[in-house]
Amino acid sequence: MAEPTAGTAPEPIRLVIVDDHAIVRQGLRSILEREPDIEVVGEAASAGAALDLVAASRPHIVLLDLKLSAGSDIAGLALCGQLTATTPAPGVLVVTTFLDQQLVLEAIQRGARGYVLKDVDAVALVAAIRAVRRGESAFDSHSATMVVRSLAAPAPSPVAAAGPDLTPREREVLTLLARGLSNEAIGKELYISATTAKFHVGNVMRKLAVSRRAEAVYAGSKLGLI
């Protein structure tokens, strides 16, 4: 293959937008297509469509919302893991309305290169896209704070360390479970949606290897987690 000649423009950043709201996708496209180094090669509203589109178009970057269905606020997390497991894997930049420490960390664990909120300004969003394309991480100030907090969290006590590795948010949820709160009530206490609360409750039960909420409380108390 011939070497590019001097002055040849670099390959544009090929990008796919995954969001279940058409107006959001159109808004993002209109903003990003103004940039000479960014090419929006497709849009998808669901996980299945996104996987097909990414396989066909081989984008460098996927802008991914976490909410991709009416029944779940976090369906995009599973898709994030699927996308980053493909070859070649695109850089996934989460663009969402949800600000929650556990969600930020889960996205990172599933391979996301960045996490920004939808109220980010256009300049910062474009900068984040370019950073991910360079192989760097990209977080807005809010999500970066969440990452720093998780790194600065105190080490668990020796008793808790012997048990499952619950995150600080999951311990909060476990404490609220011990008070007998529903998912909706937990969400109100923690300023998150009931669906996100349900996600955390599910993680707690999975890590404690139980199938009932009461069993989670019992197991957590025995391990000194509450």
Side-chain angles (χ1 to χ4, degrees):
M1 181 179 294
E3 293 293 326
T5 59
T8 300
E11 181 184 11
I13 301 171
R14 295 168 52 79
L15 183 144
V16 161
I17 301 169
V18 183
D19 193 293
D20 64 338
H21 289 98
I23 192 169
V24 173
R25 299 196 305 271
Q26 293 163 8
L28 287 170
R29 178 186 279 271
S30 67
I31 291 170
L32 297 175
E33 287 187 334
R34 299 172 188 168
E35 302 298 323
D37 61 334
I38 295 176
E39 178 186 0
V40 179
V41 297
E43 305 171 13
S46 67
L51 290 170
D52 290 342
L53 176 58
V54 168
S57 61
R58 299 291 183 91
H60 301 120
I61 306 290
V62 173
L63 295 191
L64 175 64
D65 187 14
L66 293 183
K67 181 177 175 63
L68 295 177
S69 70
S72 173
D73 288 345
I74 51 176
L77 278 178
L79 177 57
C80 180
Q82 291 174 292
L83 290 172
T84 57
T86 61
T87 304
V92 174
L93 175 60
V94 173
V95 183
T96 187
T97 57
F98 299 109
L99 180 61
D100 178 275
Q101 181 170 311
Q102 179 64 14
L103 292 181
V104 176
L105 297 180
E106 283 274 353
I108 294 170
Q109 290 167 0
R110 293 175 188 243
R113 296 280 188 83
Y115 194 111
V116 299
L117 296 184
K118 285 185 176 178
D119 62 1
V120 68
D121 64 49
V123 173
L125 177 60
V126 170
I129 291 169
R130 290 171 178 155
V132 171
R133 177 60 180 136
R134 294 193 299 268
E136 303 169 5
S137 297
F139 299 92
D140 63 16
S141 59
H142 304 292
S143 55
T145 298
M146 295 294 183
V147 175
V148 171
R149 283 179 183 172
S150 70
L151 294 175
S157 65
V159 173
D165 184 22
L166 298 187
T167 66
R169 176 47 60 89
E170 288 166 354
R171 292 192 185 196
E172 289 179 320
V173 168
L174 182 58
T175 299
L176 296 176
L177 280 176
R179 288 169 48 188
L181 299 190
S182 65
N183 292 337
E184 183 176 359
I186 290 172
K188 289 180 179 178
E189 285 276 343
L190 300 179
Y191 302 100
I192 59 178
S193 72
T195 305
T196 303
K198 181 179 179 181
F199 165 76
H200 292 312
V201 169
N203 274 348
V204 169
M205 294 171 64
R206 175 178 55 80
K207 290 181 178 181
L208 292 174
V210 299
S211 59
R212 299 173 184 270
R213 297 159 76 96
E215 292 173 345
V217 173
Y218 176 71
S221 63
K222 287 187 63 177
L223 291 167
L225 298 174
I226 51 177

